[in-house]
Amino acid sequence: MSKIVKMPTHPLRLVPALMAAMCALLGVSLAQLPVEPAPNVETLPEKYPSSWLFAHDLAFYALATGRVYIVDPTAKTSDVHGMVDAAAFASFSYSQDRGELYVAETFYTRGMRGDRTDFLTIYDMATLAIAAQVELPGAKRSLSVTQKAALQVTRDGEFLLIYNFTPAASVSIFDLNKRKVVNDIQIPGCSLIYPHGDKGFASFCADGSMIAFDLDENGKPLNEYRTVKFNDIDADPLFMKFATDDDVAYFVSYKGFVQPVRLAGGEPEVLDRMYLGGAVRQTSYGAGARPAGWQVITQDRSGKIYVLMRPDARDGDHKSGGSYVWVFDPKSGRVIREIALTGNSISIEVTGGRNSKLVATNEAMFLDIYDLKSGAHERIIGGWGPANPFALHAVQ
Amino acid sequence: MFPLLPIARAASGGVAGDQGNGFDGVAEQQSSNPLDPGDPTSCDYWRYCGIDGFLCACCGGTSHSCPPGTHMSPITWVGTCLNPGDGKRYVISYNDCCGTNSCGRCLCNRNESDKPMVRPQANNDINWCLGSDSVTYNCSTAVIIAHDEG
């Protein structure tokens, strides 16, 4: 006959029962977390909100591992929505209408060595999956610090324009419908790409002029134009970063002049230049302040121009960054506002939407987020290790 | 190459009067030649007035030679720098060293002769490894190629 032995109850064994009793008394459910599906990958909207921006990380400390972050500066949490790779001095652009991101990048067959191949990688904006990867012939695309003017979509959305430099300079015309390069246009002595008309581009030239082309449906030049020499590269060169308002591109010079150029197709129109310092009394730093940084100029959706300014700048400081942003009204030709940044910054961008932000890449290579209306510093987005987000693209 | 910005210079503390070269964990290399004064591991070294990148002197090379295993780009951009050792200006060629990954030490950016990319021969934003077998960038040198008679 078996004998039932009643063991003494260990005190710890009573804990679950006690917790259950307490939860019952407090009305707390003991339901378990649901089982979660895996694999499980997020997706993005087919068109991105105009409040978002792309932060292009050059990754100078490991150039083959550059990337483009998709950032929401208005988000108080979950402010980075994803990223795509952008290898070896890549250049970046996108098309909201096509729902595509474009990365022109360079690879070697064995990592740092082997055969060089250049690719245009096309990503689907909703999934960030690769939609196409097209080899760019000639291994000749330009490799420089990341900047918008190295890769541009024509205003009609038909062509992607790729700047090449070997050091022979040319522009490859990539047909976004056919997904192939349909033409190369030589631009000896000229650099970078600025949209011109619906289907064309302009470039700065070493003699101080601009060259411009109207293109036909096949990417062939219909007309070629050359402006007067208006860019004094020796004494006061124009930065090659640009802001746009409709068909006018705005450039700013080392010494603080604003140079508009109407690029509406046909003959480019070099408009009257204006001086930022013409309104120095309205700013904390007048005499001696100059544009400085990398992406030193941008625009808001009302056509105001934003310039990153460095107080007491000297010759050679033009890439040193600035701690103020001057807001310039091209209509009045005056600085109408000054925004004090929390510290020295390198690149600036202004996002759209009702909750517009001024975004600045700071010295820690993080993004400072400022409310555009008040100028108040709201938060920092970063924490991404040794990144170099020099090029900021507000979603249009 | 590169605008890793005077940030790089400011962060390094590589300004006149500072102690050492300004880079934590990088040993100094004081010159023994009074005609070539300064520390090639410091961003403040006179030849670096237009340099933009990792200093090869911190990476296994010198101010004017590439580290082992890399190769020197044959084409580049040039600037002029004032040598405090003799008060003369020299034409400096900023040849990049190429073929291995970024060195990552002694990042330095100065732009005293730098012009925009529209004048490529006077611009340090371009990856000047473009003339090499591999465009992979490792570090930058500052080679004296002429006296500036101008």
Side-chain angles (χ1 to χ4, degrees), chain A residues 60-61 89 108 112 116 143-145 147 165-166 191 204-205 233-234 238 240 254 294 318-320 346 390, chain B residues 1-7 54 102 104 107 111 114-120 124-125 127 130 134-136:
Chain A
F60 190 42
Y61 285 85
F89 299 100
Y108 281 89
M112 301 299 135
R116 171 182 169 177
L143 292 99
S144 72
V145 178
Q147 55 191 310
F165 182 77
T166 65
S191 296
F204 276 112
C205 299
I233 299 169
D234 286 310
L238 297 170
M240 299 184 77
Y254 281 20
W294 183 244
H318 53 278
K319 292 181 198 161
S320 299
I346 303 309
F390 284 176
Chain B
M1 60 189 299
F2 294 113
L4 271 230
L5 312 170
I7 288 178
F54 302 111
S102 306
L107 180 57
N111 297 290
D114 174 75
K115 300 294 183 188
M117 271 177 64
V118 70
R119 186 172 286 172
N124 63 13
D125 305 324
N127 174 19
L130 61 85
S134 167
V135 296
T136 305

Side-chain angles (χ1 to χ4, degrees), chain A residues 133-184:
Chain A
Q133 37 193 336
V134 183
E135 184 168 353
L136 301 172
K140 61 189 177 189
R141 75 173 193 86
S142 171
L143 292 99
S144 72
V145 178
T146 53
Q147 55 191 310
K148 293 178 180 178
L151 190 69
Q152 285 284 313
V153 178
T154 53
R155 291 196 186 113
D156 66 359
E158 297 295 305
F159 294 150
L160 182 70
L161 308 170
I162 304 160
Y163 176 58
N164 305 311
F165 182 77
T166 65
S170 63
V171 174
S172 292
I173 314 298
F174 186 93
D175 187 315
L176 288 169
N177 294 317
K178 297 175 181 174
R179 285 186 172 170
K180 68 174 188 179
V181 173
V182 293
N183 193 24
D184 280 333

Side-chain angles (χ1 to χ4, degrees), chain A residues 282-316:
Chain A
Q282 299 175 18
T283 61
S284 301
Y285 289 92
R290 290 184 184 180
W294 183 244
Q295 191 167 300
V296 295
I297 186 169
T298 189
Q299 70 284 313
D300 67 17
R301 308 299 155 101
S302 71
K304 305 289 190 303
I305 305 302
Y306 293 67
V307 183
L308 182 59
M309 300 295 291
R310 181 178 187 83
D312 305 319
R314 298 168 299 176
D315 288 347

Side-chain angles (χ1 to χ4, degrees), chain B residues 1 50-51 76-79 92-94 113-114 120-124 128:
Chain B
M1 60 189 299
I51 206 165
T76 185
W77 79 283
V78 298
I92 305 296
S93 175
Y94 295 101
S113 307
D114 174 75
Q121 70 274 21
N123 175 260
N124 63 13
W128 283 107

